[in-house]
Amino acid sequence: MSREQRDQPAGEHQRPAAASVKASLIARGVRATIEFVGTHPFATGLMAILGIVGFVLSVISFRMDIENAAQSQADTDALKQGLETVVAQTTADCRQAPCWDLATFVRNDPIGKPKELIENKLPAALAKNGGEYLHEIDGCRVRIEYTNDAVTYFMVSLYRHQSGGAVTPCLFDIADIVPTETTPLGKPHEAVEMADLLRMMVRPASASADAFVPELYIAQACIDCGNAAEPFLELQKPGTHAENFRAVHVRTEFAAVNDVDDQGFAMWSDFSQAMKARIGPDAAYGIELSALCDKDVFQETVTILGSSQISEVGVSVAPRVQPNAFHCT
């Protein structure tokens, strides 16, 4: 034995042997436990039960993890939606109705807008007649109809009457409703005539005479509805594919611009007689507009109502939902 080995403490020589003994004891304990479980039915059953309990706990833990993850995602989505709502309300034109003036309402193109948005931007409706909501914005009349809670029709007054007979134009750009190239932009609103609209109906220079046939139909009217109601007529020009099928609507109350010698009454009488002639003998006791809904009234409008004052203009993209006896569906 060398001097280095003699000088080394005795414990250093004994450590490997002690570790080996400890490992051997552990192995014997594990073996004894396995033999005990394998030879004793009670122990075997107990271990099986513990295994089942462990499996159930793992399933419950997995389910809780999934539910917690789903809840966390739901909480995240709710928070995101809340933030988006706050941002939208903060950056919107306003946060509480009414906040759109008439020009903003028209400029934002109401068609297709959700009912909830419109209600949050406009004053509350003054009345609801069937499917038509009547609003007043800046003193001007606005009619709105919804289909599946989205705007599919609206009409806006061109002017409003004031005390003493004065007329004030409603402040919006007609070009935001009627195609710009055919809109009488050079006229004040109270001076717009049916003839100005009819210029929309002329044949384009690029179209052949056979390819372009102007159409104009009655959308709603009170032509022969008794003395209690003021007569009016709403006409519809169907929209083309190029116009995304947006039909243009105009309304007249059979009044002429700068009315002279009761010209408005004469136009109403002539148009009424023309419509009765369309219907035939059945019109002897009054006009049923259901008989005129599918008839093009372009020629009568050109001939009789060219100088009739337009009181409202609007747009629709779907069949009307306003029900009444004089409504064409």
Side-chain angles (χ1 to χ4, degrees):
M1 180 179 297
S2 67
R3 181 178 179 181
E4 288 79 9
Q5 290 175 331
R6 289 196 306 269
D7 295 337
Q8 197 171 26
E12 295 293 326
H13 297 286
Q14 296 173 356
R15 285 177 185 171
S20 177
V21 171
K22 186 176 182 180
S24 177
L25 291 175
I26 292 174
R28 289 177 184 175
V30 172
R31 179 178 177 179
T33 300
I34 295 174
E35 289 175 349
F36 173 79
V37 172
T39 57
H40 291 75
F42 176 80
T44 303
L46 179 62
M47 295 300 293
I49 292 174
L50 291 176
I52 293 173
V53 171
F55 175 75
V56 171
L57 290 175
S58 66
V59 171
I60 294 174
S61 177
F62 178 72
R63 182 176 179 180
M64 291 178 63
D65 289 340
I66 293 178
E67 291 177 349
N68 289 337
Q71 184 62 43
S72 298
Q73 184 62 44
D75 292 341
T76 301
D77 292 341
L79 178 60
K80 180 180 179 182
Q81 184 177 3
L83 290 174
E84 290 176 347
T85 301
V86 172
V87 172
Q89 291 177 344
T90 302
T91 58
D93 294 338
C94 70
R95 303 178 190 177
Q96 185 176 0
C99 54
W100 276 0
D101 59 18
L102 190 58
T104 302
F105 170 77
V106 174
R107 186 171 59 250
N108 282 335
D109 186 11
I111 293 296
K113 296 292 191 300
K115 185 173 184 285
E116 182 180 5
L117 173 66
I118 299 301
E119 290 177 341
N120 286 335
K121 299 298 184 182
L122 301 186
L126 298 177
K128 182 176 183 286
N129 180 19
E132 183 181 85
Y133 292 79
L134 177 63
H135 296 260
E136 187 175 280
I137 310 175
D138 301 338
C140 297
R141 187 171 48 202
V142 176
R143 307 174 191 273
I144 303 175
E145 291 182 12
Y146 301 92
T147 301
N148 296 327
D149 288 334
V151 178
T152 51
Y153 164 90
F154 75 93
M155 285 199 80
V156 182
S157 295
L158 290 180
Y159 53 86
R160 58 189 176 94
H161 296 279
Q162 293 182 314
S163 59
V167 175
T168 301
C170 295
L171 301 180
F172 69 94
D173 191 349
I174 301 178
D176 289 328
I177 299 179
V178 184
T180 306
E181 64 273 12
T182 58
T183 302
L185 299 178
K187 286 187 173 183
H189 286 188
E190 64 273 19
V192 179
E193 300 175 322
M194 189 66 71
D196 298 313
L197 170 75
L198 297 179
R199 284 200 287 271
M200 297 175 59
M201 316 299 294
V202 300
R203 181 175 59 87
S206 58
S208 65
D210 295 333
F212 182 84
V213 178
E215 295 178 295
L216 197 64
Y217 297 92
I218 293 177
Q220 188 178 8
C222 173
I223 298 176
D224 191 22
C225 52
N227 296 330
E230 295 292 334
F232 71 88
L233 174 67
E234 182 181 326
L235 299 173
Q236 171 183 315
K237 171 191 174 294
T240 65
H241 185 275
E243 298 166 331
N244 294 320
F245 303 105
R246 293 168 64 97
V248 174
H249 290 250
V250 293
R251 181 181 175 117
T252 181
E253 298 172 358
F254 298 102
V257 175
N258 298 321
D259 194 357
V260 178
D261 295 330
D262 212 3
Q263 184 181 0
F265 177 83
M267 287 190 297
W268 166 78
S269 179
D270 291 346
F271 192 81
S272 176
Q273 293 303 315
M275 295 301 100
K276 287 182 178 181
R278 282 285 196 112
I279 296 173
D282 292 339
Y285 299 100
I287 295 177
E288 292 293 338
L289 288 187
S290 58
L292 298 170
C293 290
D294 60 348
K295 291 180 171 58
D296 186 350
V297 295
F298 179 79
Q299 193 55 54
E300 288 89 347
T301 304
V302 170
T303 304
I304 302 171
L305 299 180
S307 60
S308 185
Q309 184 180 36
I310 294 178
S311 58
E312 298 178 42
V313 294
V315 174
S316 73
V317 292
R320 298 284 303 281
V321 297
Q322 163 65 8
N324 62 49
F326 302 100
H327 181 223
C328 298
T329 58

